[in-house]
Amino acid sequence: MAPTSMESKHSSSKANNAVLEDDDNQKTSAGAGGRGRCYFSELPWHIMLEILLKLHIEAVIRCRYVCKAWRELLLDPSFAKLHCASTPMGVVLQSSLFPHGNSGGLYLLEPQEQEPSSIIAKFNQFPYLESTLVNSCHGLICSCDILMADPIYISNPITGEYLILPKGETKPDFGQFVSGFGFSPKTKQYKVVKYSESLEIYTLGSGTTWRRTEHVPPARHRSLFGTFVNGALHWLVKLPNGSVLIRSFDLDNEKFLTIPLPLSRCSDASFKSSNLGILGDCLSLSSIVMDDASGWDIEIWVMKEYGVRESWIRELVIKSLSPWEQGWNPEHVQVINVLKNGEIVINCGGCPVIYNVGQESFRLLKPNGIFLTHVNAIAHASSFVSLKDIIILGDGSEVGEF
């Protein structure tokens, strides 16, 4: 079997660094009676790779500084691709308001954890200063100016890289754009979409600026930021004729499509109390339904077969008698993601909570014991995808570092 490009690179790197590693091992052995020898480096490259892919993201970051051979392996685009494919979706939280003078930041909640403990970027680090999260794709975070939703930033808090997108020609209505970020499976390109009256598309690494395409029919949007699922961006909208539906934008063919809602969720009242999200790998809809007994219920619907109305299933009904006693408001709820243990992360009006399905109970998310307020929360899987491997040199784009 012919070696892969990554195997060839690693073999070359191993050969180039063999003398250095042997010298380091000899020095360590001499200084510690031979007990400091690094046997891990003697493992076959694919075994090393399997081990590194199973490590916590913070441990992988530290491994980049162990030796030159490890650094080259972990910075290889092939490793980034494998890591991205094997990393389940977690949640990233952004808060600018911390009590007791603590600085805000981005907190990572990995799917195998029960509490977010890893701060992956400080809030005062550009581009997270005065920006709000739009969405995430393959470890790259799209964020935008809080007030104007323009300019738009693409960043990777793990690699510490960011890109400022140029401003387009279209000026938004009422000061804001509808926007979203995702990946085209067909063209293998990352694309940013924004629109007010006209649609504009920016393709990362294309060497071009914003492309202005079609006129977008008017509609009220429940959220300005699209939910990325199945190669498309999705918004819950209400049309001028009163119809409530999901407007999707396919990133492959760059066309708007309509995704039907469950029949019971197509009313004006449903529009005001519903939000799109992600549950597992499926598009989800969370709605607040008034109940005479408990006062309100949260219904979580999941589209099991993408694009098929009949595949909508009411996956879960959450009941609670006194949510306000727990410090959060249920009037605006959005399902963010499901953790590995089956618990569901929900953003309730800027206050993130975790719902335990088995115990039918809530608890507040407190990174490192800190109670967060005014929080943005999005589904996110950390990765080592580098913007420098995406952007074409000489196209006018510059990748910054923080």
Side-chain angles (χ1 to χ4, degrees), residues 354-385:
I354 287 183
Y355 180 71
N356 186 297
V357 179
Q359 299 177 4
E360 297 185 348
S361 62
F362 293 97
R363 70 175 186 274
L364 293 171
L365 268 177
K366 295 182 179 180
N368 293 335
I370 302 173
F371 174 67
L372 300 179
T373 59
H374 300 276
V375 174
N376 293 318
I378 58 174
H380 174 77
S382 293
S383 78
F384 291 89
V385 173

Side-chain angles (χ1 to χ4, degrees), residues 183-222:
F183 181 76
S184 167
K186 183 178 180 180
T187 64
K188 309 299 182 184
Q189 293 175 313
Y190 293 91
K191 298 181 180 181
V192 180
V193 173
K194 67 176 181 178
Y195 64 87
S196 179
E197 292 183 354
S198 298
L199 174 68
E200 290 186 282
I201 305 170
Y202 186 93
T203 303
L204 274 65
S206 65
T208 61
T209 185
W210 291 92
R211 292 180 289 115
R212 187 173 178 176
T213 59
E214 61 185 287
H215 174 77
V216 182
R220 287 180 55 195
H221 290 71
R222 186 72 175 105

Side-chain angles (χ1 to χ4, degrees), residues 148 218 239 284 395:
M148 295 295 293
L239 302 181
S284 72
D395 71 346

